Amino acid sequence: MAKKRAIIIGAGPAGLTAAYELLRYPDWQPVILEASDRIGGISRTERYHGNRIDIGGHRFFSKSRKVTDLWLSLLPPQGAPACDDRLLGRTAFTGDGPDPEQTDPVMLERRRVSRIFYRNRFFDYPVSFSRRTIAAMGIGRTCAAGLSYLRTALLPRRERSLEDFYINRFGRALYRMFFEDYTEKLWGIHPSAIAPDWGRQRVKGISIAALLKRKLLPGGNRKVETSLIESFWYPKFGPGQLWEKMAEEICRRGGEIRLNAAVTGIRAEHGRIAAVQVAGDAAEITGDVFFSSMPVCDLAAAMGSALSPEGREIAAGLPYRDFITVGLLVPRLKLRNRTGMPTVNG
């Protein structure tokens, strides 16, 4: 019996995971079409003169046990300290996982440190009411931030935008210090033009009220929000190592990954996708089902007349963010460690 073909556009985490999961069923054969010459999308790890550079700061953490189990089935968690663990005095590893000094396919457990750089100083994120924070802000700004929050607490805004969401939880002063410019730079849209649901999903339980509760009440609120994780998994050779490993498994199990295969056309028949066209290839690629992880605007453009003129116009106007990463290779960073955590270089 011939296998059913699943055509998957894009070899990023979404496309690779779709193919990997399909291979659990023996009657399916996934074929991944990737426009570039690399797999992993923006989760890949570039290699330059023996150096590995993460394209994005990707932590591996999920509240879904199924997702975590998938990651750790490909790269098992460390069962012994790595070299930097020993230098930093981290030795609390249990289980029968591999020794990262002896094997490469391994997940390292690392603590999270997130900070905001503002007025030439680093602030903890999420914002905390520590003496270090108050000293960095100064008494004047701290008092102004406190009064600003009290005003908002007494007269909360109707939440019609992400701006309203942030101001209600932090006050206008802290919103302008830490959230307004950062959000607009990150997403290319001012917070006043973003729906408040985004904040409820990304920020969740972080607020001045929640910080005060954790600081002042006995025991505080120990529920860990997704945005407040203290540790995460990280592949020994960077995020790209996990997706490279998954790609190897896909090919080993009978799946196919075609690089430099940019999808430029999509043909539909009777309301269903029938085939795709790849740049430089005269023959169409047919399949039984189709998955797409390409940008929606590019997907709509490739569909041509299969999509209504209104749909194509809307899709063409959808913005999506890109970025430029600059990697600097230096022998030593002349930065002082103010994280409260030990470092190898002191």
Side-chain angles (χ1 to χ4, degrees), residues 214-234:
R214 282 193 292 271
K215 193 76 173 178
L216 301 177
L217 294 182
N221 179 9
R222 300 304 179 190
K223 181 181 178 182
V224 178
E225 299 287 353
T226 303
S227 299
L228 297 174
I229 61 169
E230 296 182 355
S231 65
F232 57 92
W233 296 111
Y234 185 83

Side-chain angles (χ1 to χ4, degrees), residues 101-166:
E101 292 300 301
Q102 303 297 324
T103 186
D104 293 335
V106 60
M107 280 282 201
L108 306 176
E109 185 178 1
R110 291 295 177 260
R111 287 183 58 190
R112 167 181 172 163
V113 178
S114 293
R115 296 183 294 169
I116 300 171
F117 190 63
Y118 175 73
R119 297 182 65 86
N120 293 321
R121 293 178 181 271
F122 284 105
F123 292 82
D124 293 334
Y125 181 82
V127 179
S128 63
F129 284 112
S130 64
R131 279 182 287 182
R132 185 171 57 202
T133 300
I134 295 173
M137 289 179 62
I139 296 298
R141 285 193 181 84
T142 301
C143 291
L147 291 172
S148 173
Y149 174 70
L150 288 176
R151 281 195 296 270
T152 303
L154 293 172
L155 297 170
R157 299 160 65 103
R158 180 182 174 188
E159 292 187 2
R160 292 172 292 189
S161 69
L162 182 60
E163 181 176 63
D164 300 326
F165 177 92
Y166 277 137

Side-chain angles (χ1 to χ4, degrees), residues 13 16-18 20-21 24 64-76 107 242-243 245-246 253:
L16 290 168
T17 303
Y20 188 79
E21 289 294 303
R24 298 179 184 274
S64 169
R65 186 65 191 178
K66 182 177 180 180
V67 173
T68 304
D69 287 345
L70 170 62
W71 293 337
L72 298 184
S73 69
L74 291 164
L75 297 179
M107 280 282 201
L242 179 70
W243 308 116
K245 177 65 174 178
M246 183 176 283
R253 298 183 185 185

